[in-house]
Amino acid sequence: VTTTNNNGQIIIGRLAINAIDCNTEINKFGLSGFEGFIDVSPNPNFGKIVLDYKYDKSQLTVSIINILGEEIYHGLLFQNTKKEIKLPGLVGLYFLKISAPNNYLLFQKKLILE
């Protein structure tokens, strides 16, 4: 990613995601308890994942991001539902990111597509 700071200098190399162990990042935010409300299966998978959201308070935003920081999927996850996401033809490491309506990160998980 390329950006310009206030002094007009170009900054290169910042990515939109942090590829450090996702569970460590969740614990930093104090969100490890939220993991019990969402099941992600199967992982690894062959282009189809199922999100089982077991909470009745909020609608969430789901993003799947590749290792270059590009969002390849964006959708909504509704209260107490299962959502099937199809990602045909994709192979490799991806990141599942689930956020609250105010874009507050609640959950991250590594996805392996085979």
Side-chain angles (χ1 to χ4, degrees):
V1 176
T2 303
T3 188
T4 305
N5 67 14
N6 292 338
N7 297 327
Q9 297 171 323
I10 296 174
I11 299 171
I12 299 173
R14 291 186 169 200
L15 290 179
I17 60 169
N18 186 347
I20 297 173
D21 181 72
C22 294
N23 291 327
T24 301
E25 292 302 306
I26 291 169
N27 289 334
K28 264 194 209 174
F29 293 122
L31 300 171
S32 59
F34 193 80
E35 199 164 329
F37 292 106
I38 297 178
D39 288 329
V40 180
S41 62
N43 192 20
N45 67 75
F46 295 98
K48 181 177 88 170
I49 61 170
V50 176
L51 304 178
D52 187 3
Y53 180 35
K54 298 174 264 183
Y55 193 63
D56 63 354
K57 300 288 183 195
S58 184
Q59 170 182 303
L60 303 176
T61 301
V62 177
S63 298
I64 297 177
I65 300 165
N66 66 19
I67 59 172
L68 300 175
E70 301 165 331
E71 185 176 63
I72 59 156
Y73 176 86
H74 184 87
L76 295 176
L77 187 59
F78 298 98
Q79 302 92 325
N80 290 316
T81 59
K82 285 187 180 183
K83 180 177 188 81
E84 183 179 289
I85 300 173
K86 294 181 182 178
L87 304 165
L90 297 179
V91 176
L93 177 65
Y94 294 84
F95 298 92
L96 171 69
K97 177 179 158 183
I98 298 179
S99 303
N102 61 0
N103 289 329
Y104 186 76
L105 178 65
L106 295 173
F107 181 84
Q108 279 191 55
K109 188 170 186 82
K110 295 176 188 175
L111 295 176
I112 299 172
L113 301 178
E114 300 180 326

